[in-house]
């Protein structure tokens, strides 16, 4: 009983529900391991008693919570303050406000921002805590809009160096905004990767979520490129020629996108550019960037510089370098000043090109522009975990518990943030992360948005079945999100596919966070509540977060599938799409290529005949629905017409945003990511291609009759 109480006090669930009506108790040794990761010893009955007493003497008697959160009409719960306590606020802007006697409602009338609250009792006890005053909601998207969803690396132009880059992004935004009337471009995470070779191509296992990866730079768009002369110019021309060959191999030779080969060329070119002196104006802008980014950028660049010497896994570095604040790290930082400056410069250049891409989008008339993607976690050996070790739970990994889709559970290999450390820091790591991502964004997509409320922690060395849910302060996490989104004027989209605990979708909607609705999954599974299982959500796949798996059309084999939701039954607060980066493309689903691919790789959940039958049943059901609603006047059997029809269906929903998976626009048959595979399938390495598998350049996409015909359907649908 004592250990269970200790777990509850620290937000650890002692049971979970793998399926409706079933409850599984969390193993005692799991509870002990998770508490240990939170700095609490619960290994023996004596240790439990000691920890409970320490809690009562510490957090239990604290005058103030670690962080106080207030928003309009929702004052914080400041209970237990002794009579005569006075409150004082130091505002973010440098002012002070003496509130006198505790009046939580007065805190809601303070300016929005991150302040400091001080409480002083008549007996002389004092306490200070960060005070977050946040708006009720994140900004809403400006009107209804449609746009493209794209994995940037897959979007190659005739100017790319072997993979899509920020120049291609700016060009896509400028063209689609002007020519097609699109309102946004949603991207994959552009976070900095753990360097290889080989580099993990997945954008969902980054080294750092705080800074973008310079591999996305368009080299020729860097102003100093024009100033290269002599041998540096000759070498730059040689690198550009090799990049042309690399690009041709992908576009014309059937080669996969090779991030490491691209980075090898770009890195050498960037070394040449780094040697070119900045103009006075450019130098001043760079210095401003350094001052603005501060310690976070210095730590990131220091990690990059040390990784060049000792490899990318800081856990294997010499002892003195594993601590970013150690004397040994300080000495090496001094010796590596040039390399640190190089990596700082790359962060600045990437930030500039991201800003240019967002300007191009807005100049083209896009109401939203770029929609950046926030991955759910970071690599355990990367820059973020090195720089913020106190914020991460050592020896833990996030994942998913066993459920009706996966009896083994999932381990994503990503260390979780400690909720207690976030609260103690006033959520500074989270705030800084959001601020960086929102610098050049009209909206932000949050992968596995349910993680703002709870995450499944798996102790190192144990199977994911032996994990536990750990709760985060959802009110605080959403308030920080609302504050930073309002400051940036950006909307927020939550990827809420998968197992969602009751009430979470309602809480997100109440704060203005849009959900994610995928056409194939929008069915009535009974109960009438979005949080009810199974609802055919896209269960997170075994190879990581963000990976979706389609449900069975006939779950019980009886031939009676859950009813397709009518367009008017969809929620308005969502980004509506037909498919995503890790689901079959629409053309693949229509032609059966998705089942054939999974059969070839041995990934089918049952006998091939049954899986093909289910796919055929679901497709026929959808085609019948489209015909019945008059959305397929061309008749069945026409693939392009069917692609148009499912998007016509989306336009009839009240969704605020309608997303078109860019490969769908040209009939690509291949998913960008096939959950459950590693070497068996080229995940995250495919260029956008047509039905025959031939890669399409950005220039060809812009001229594609098939793409223009589809996008006319969406443009006409908004008139």
């Amino acid at each position: 009983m004592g250990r269970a109480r200790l777990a509850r006090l620290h937000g650890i669930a002692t049971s979970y529900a793998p399926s409706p009506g079933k409850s599984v108790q969390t193993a005692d040794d799991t509870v002990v391991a998770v508490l240990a990761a939170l700095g609490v010893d619960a290994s023996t009955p004596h240790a439990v008693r000691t920890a409970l007493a320490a809690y009562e003497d510490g957090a239990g008697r604290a005058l103030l919570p670690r962080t106080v959160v207030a928003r309009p009409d929702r004052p914080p719960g400041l209970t237990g303050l002794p009579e005569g306590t006075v409150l004082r606020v130091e505002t973010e802007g440098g002012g002070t406000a003496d509130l006198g006697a505790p009046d939580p409602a007065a805190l809601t009338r303070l300016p929005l921002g991150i302040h400091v609250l001080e409480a002083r009792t008549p007996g002389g006890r004092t306490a200070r805590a960060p005070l977050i005053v946040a708006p009720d909601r994140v900004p809403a998207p400006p009107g209804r809009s449609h746009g493209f969803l794209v994995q940037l690396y897959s979007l190659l132009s005739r100017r790319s160096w072997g993979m899509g880059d920020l120049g291609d992004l700016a060009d896509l935004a400028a063209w689609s905004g002007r020519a097609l009337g699109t309102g946004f471009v949603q991207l994959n995470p552009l976070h900095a990767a753990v360097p290889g070779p080989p580099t993990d191509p997945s954008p969902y296992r980054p080294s750092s979520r705080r800074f973008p990866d310079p591999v996305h730079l368009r080299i020729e768009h860097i102003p100093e490129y024009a100033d290269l002369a002599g041998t540096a110019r000759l070498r730059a021309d040689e690198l550009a020629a090799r990049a042309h060959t690399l690009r041709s191999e992908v576009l014309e030779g059937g080669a996969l996108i090779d991030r490491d080969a691209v980075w090898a060329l770009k890195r050498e070119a960037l070394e040449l550019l780094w040697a070119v002196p900045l103009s006075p104006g450019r130098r001043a802008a760079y210095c401003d960037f350094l001052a603005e980014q501060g310690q976070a950028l210095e730590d990131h660049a220091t990690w990059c510089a040390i990784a060049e010497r000792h490899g990318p896994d800081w856990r294997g570095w010499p002892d003195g370098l594993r601590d970013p604040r150690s004397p040994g790290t300080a000495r090496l930082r001094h010796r590596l000043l040039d390399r640190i400056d190089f990596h700082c410069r790359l962060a600045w250049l990437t930030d500039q090109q991201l800003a240019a891409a967002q300007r191009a989008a807005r100049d083209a008339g896009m109401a939203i522009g770029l929609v950046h993607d926030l991955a759910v976690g970071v690599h355990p050996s990367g820059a973020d975990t090195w720089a913020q070790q106190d914020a991460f739970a050592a020896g833990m990994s996030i994942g998913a518990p066993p459920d009706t889709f996966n009896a083994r559970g999932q381990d994503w290999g990503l260390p979780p943030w400690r909720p207690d450390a976030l609260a103690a820091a006033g959520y500074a790591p989270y705030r800084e992360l959001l601020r960086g991502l929102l610098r050049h964004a009209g909206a932000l997509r949050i992968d596995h948005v349910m993680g703002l409320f709870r995450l499944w922690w798996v102790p190192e060395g144990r199977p994911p079945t032996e994990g536990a849910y750990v709760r985060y302060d959802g009110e605080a996490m959403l308030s920080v999100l609302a504050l930073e989104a309002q400051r940036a004027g950006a909307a927020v989209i939550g990827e809420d596919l998968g197992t969602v605990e009751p009430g979470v979708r309602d809480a997100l909607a109440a704060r203005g966070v849009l959900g994610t609705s995928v056409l194939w999954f929008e069915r009535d599974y009974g109960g009438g509540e979005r949080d009810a299982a199974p609802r055919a959500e896209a269960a997170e796949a075994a190879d990581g977060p963000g990976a979706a798996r389609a449900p069975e059309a006939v779950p019980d084999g009886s031939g009676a599938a859950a009813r397709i939701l009518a367009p008017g039954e969809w929620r308005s607060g969502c980004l509506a799409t037909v498919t995503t980066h890790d689901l079959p493309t629409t053309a693949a689903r229509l032609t059966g290529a998705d089942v054939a691919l999974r059969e070839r790789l041995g990934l089918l959940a049952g006998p091939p005949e049954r899986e093909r039958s289910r796919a055929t049943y679901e497709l026929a059901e959808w085609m019948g629905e489209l015909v019945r609603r008059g959305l397929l006047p061309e008749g069945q059997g026409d693939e392009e017409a069917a692609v148009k029809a499912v998007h016509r269906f989306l336009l009839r929903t009240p969704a605020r945003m309608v997303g078109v998976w860019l490969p769908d626009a040209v009939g690509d048959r291949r998913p960008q990511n096939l959950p459950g595979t590693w070497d068996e399938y080229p995940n995250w390495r495919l260029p956008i291609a047509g039905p025959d598998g031939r890669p399409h350049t950005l220039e060809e996409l812009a001229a594609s009759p098939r793409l223009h015909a589809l996008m006319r359907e969406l443009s006409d649908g908004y008139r």
Side-chain angles (χ1 to χ4, degrees):
M1 289 295 292
R3 186 173 288 151
R5 179 167 177 263
L6 191 60
R8 288 192 296 271
L9 290 172
H10 290 276
I12 303 167
T14 55
S15 66
Y16 70 95
S19 59
K22 182 179 180 181
S23 179
V24 175
Q25 290 298 118
T26 305
D28 276 351
D29 54 353
T30 295
V31 172
V32 171
V34 174
L35 281 168
L38 295 171
V40 179
D41 182 6
S43 58
T44 66
H46 175 73
V48 169
R49 290 191 295 271
T50 301
L52 285 170
Y55 184 91
E56 295 297 336
D57 288 340
R61 296 185 63 248
L63 289 176
L64 297 173
R66 288 190 176 99
T67 292
V68 179
V69 179
R71 54 187 170 105
D73 301 321
R74 183 160 180 152
L78 299 179
T79 59
L81 290 174
E83 185 176 350
T85 298
V86 295
L87 300 179
R88 184 172 182 267
V89 175
E90 298 172 7
T91 66
E92 187 176 48
T96 59
D98 291 309
L99 304 182
D103 179 10
L107 299 178
T108 67
R109 296 188 288 271
L110 290 168
L112 300 180
I114 310 296
H115 314 302
V116 176
L117 177 65
E118 180 181 278
R120 184 181 297 273
T121 71
R125 290 179 64 201
T126 62
R128 291 168 61 87
L131 168 63
I132 299 170
V133 181
D136 275 329
R137 297 173 63 85
V138 305
R144 198 168 185 233
S145 62
H146 68 283
F148 284 125
L149 282 60
V150 63
Q151 300 278 295
L152 181 57
Y153 59 83
S154 71
L155 180 71
L156 282 76
S157 71
R158 289 293 175 186
R159 297 172 177 82
S160 308
W161 282 31
M163 62 182 280
D165 60 36
L166 293 172
D168 297 321
L169 174 59
D171 213 24
L172 172 68
W175 160 68
S176 65
R178 287 183 166 87
L180 306 176
T182 55
F184 63 89
V185 176
Q186 180 180 301
L187 302 160
N188 57 287
L190 302 183
H191 308 320
V194 178
T199 298
D200 186 341
S202 171
Y204 291 94
R205 282 175 59 82
S207 168
S208 173
R209 296 184 295 176
R210 178 63 183 82
F211 295 98
D213 199 311
V215 76
H216 300 113
L217 283 167
R218 170 67 63 84
I219 297 297
E220 295 88 343
H221 285 187
I222 298 171
E224 287 71 38
Y225 189 81
D227 297 329
L228 289 172
T231 57
R233 166 56 63 186
L234 292 174
R235 184 55 183 160
D237 290 344
E238 292 173 3
L239 293 171
R242 289 169 57 189
H244 173 79
T245 300
L246 193 62
R247 178 177 64 246
S248 297
E249 289 172 349
V250 173
L251 294 175
E252 300 160 13
L256 298 174
I257 292 169
D258 187 340
R259 183 191 183 104
D260 290 323
V262 173
W263 178 234
L265 296 178
K266 288 191 176 183
R267 178 170 175 165
E268 187 172 349
L270 290 165
E271 297 276 5
L272 297 173
L273 294 172
W274 177 61
V276 177
L278 296 173
S279 69
R282 295 267 293 163
R283 169 61 62 180
Y286 177 45
C287 290
D288 283 350
F289 179 78
L290 293 176
E292 183 180 30
Q293 300 302 313
Q295 187 68 54
L297 177 58
E298 183 177 342
D299 285 343
H300 176 73
T302 299
W303 181 90
C304 292
I306 298 176
E308 291 176 338
R309 285 195 171 195
H310 296 288
D313 188 350
W314 63 266
R315 297 168 300 181
W317 291 354
D319 289 345
L321 303 180
R322 295 176 196 171
D323 180 356
R325 307 290 171 250
S326 73
T329 299
R331 288 191 295 270
L332 185 56
R333 180 183 283 121
H334 182 73
R335 293 199 297 272
L336 296 177
L337 284 179
D338 281 350
R339 298 310 301 165
I340 292 171
D341 180 67
F342 173 70
H343 290 289
C344 286
R345 182 86 64 92
L346 300 192
W348 174 59
L349 294 173
T350 311
D351 182 81
Q352 286 194 317
Q353 291 196 5
L354 279 169
Q358 177 66 348
R359 282 196 304 272
R362 290 296 178 88
D363 290 347
M366 287 189 174
I368 297 173
L370 303 185
V371 181
H372 287 295
D373 195 354
L374 172 60
V376 70
V378 293
H379 198 283
S381 68
D384 282 2
T385 55
W386 178 73
Q388 299 177 336
Q389 292 175 44
D390 291 345
F392 289 92
M396 293 288 145
S397 173
I398 60 174
D403 57 24
T404 54
F405 294 102
N406 188 336
R408 295 174 298 176
Q410 300 153 43
D411 183 344
W412 302 335
L414 308 171
W417 263 335
R418 287 180 52 163
D420 58 333
L422 288 178
Y427 293 86
Y430 179 47
R431 288 189 276 117
E432 292 169 3
L433 171 60
L434 293 173
R435 202 166 296 172
L437 286 166
L438 291 167
R439 280 173 64 85
H440 310 301
L444 178 66
R445 174 192 181 270
I446 300 179
D447 188 44
H448 195 73
V449 72
M450 301 82 76
L452 300 182
F453 298 84
R454 67 176 184 178
L455 284 170
W456 183 256
W457 287 23
V458 181
E460 184 176 356
R462 299 185 186 181
T465 52
E466 297 180 15
Y469 272 121
V470 177
R471 186 157 297 282
Y472 293 74
D473 186 336
E475 171 66 19
M477 298 290 277
L478 285 176
S479 292
V480 171
L481 176 62
L483 177 61
E484 296 301 333
Q486 184 173 102
R487 284 173 162 171
V492 178
I493 303 157
E495 186 271 297
D496 58 349
L497 305 172
T499 302
V500 184
E501 64 178 317
V504 165
R505 287 194 178 96
D506 290 340
L508 292 168
R511 303 302 293 268
V513 177
L514 303 183
T516 301
S517 293
V518 178
L519 179 113
W520 310 108
F521 301 159
E522 290 295 312
R523 292 174 176 266
D524 181 4
Y525 288 88
E529 186 176 342
R530 282 195 168 272
D531 291 358
R535 194 186 160 267
E537 285 108 342
E540 303 289 356
D543 62 341
R549 177 175 61 224
E552 298 175 347
V554 193
D556 60 3
S558 66
R563 179 180 62 85
I564 293 171
L565 288 181
E569 296 178 276
W570 285 43
R571 52 185 170 173
S572 61
C574 73
L575 166 67
T577 69
V578 177
T579 191
T580 71
H581 58 264
D582 44 32
L583 288 172
T585 65
T586 303
R589 193 180 289 269
L590 293 171
T591 60
D594 60 322
V595 178
L597 174 61
R598 288 185 287 120
E599 180 180 1
R600 187 169 71 250
L601 297 177
L603 298 176
L604 294 180
E609 297 78 12
R610 190 183 72 182
E611 296 303 309
R612 283 193 290 269
S613 175
R614 284 178 168 166
T616 300
Y617 178 94
E618 182 179 12
L619 183 60
E621 186 184 24
W622 264 106
M623 292 303 104
E625 180 78 8
L626 296 171
V627 168
R628 188 162 50 253
R629 294 186 176 278
L631 298 175
L632 190 53
E634 302 91 341
Q636 299 189 46
D638 184 331
E639 177 191 313
E640 289 189 47
V643 173
K644 292 177 186 177
V646 291
H647 286 90
R648 291 168 186 152
F649 186 98
L650 293 185
L651 290 176
R652 287 200 178 182
T653 74
R656 295 294 298 272
M657 298 171 68
V658 173
V660 177
W661 177 233
L662 185 53
D664 269 358
V666 290
D668 201 340
R669 300 284 196 270
R670 308 165 308 172
Q672 284 294 314
N673 176 46
L674 185 60
T677 63
W678 182 249
D679 293 332
E680 305 95 327
Y681 187 80
N683 295 315
W684 319 111
R685 290 174 287 170
L686 293 171
I688 295 173
D692 59 358
R694 184 184 67 80
H696 280 29
T697 64
L698 174 56
E699 293 85 355
E700 290 173 307
L701 290 170
S704 167
R706 178 168 179 162
L707 181 147
H708 280 273
L710 173 62
M711 297 310 290
R712 275 195 298 272
E713 297 287 339
L714 283 99
S715 297
D716 292 346
Y718 284 101
R719 291 174 184 169

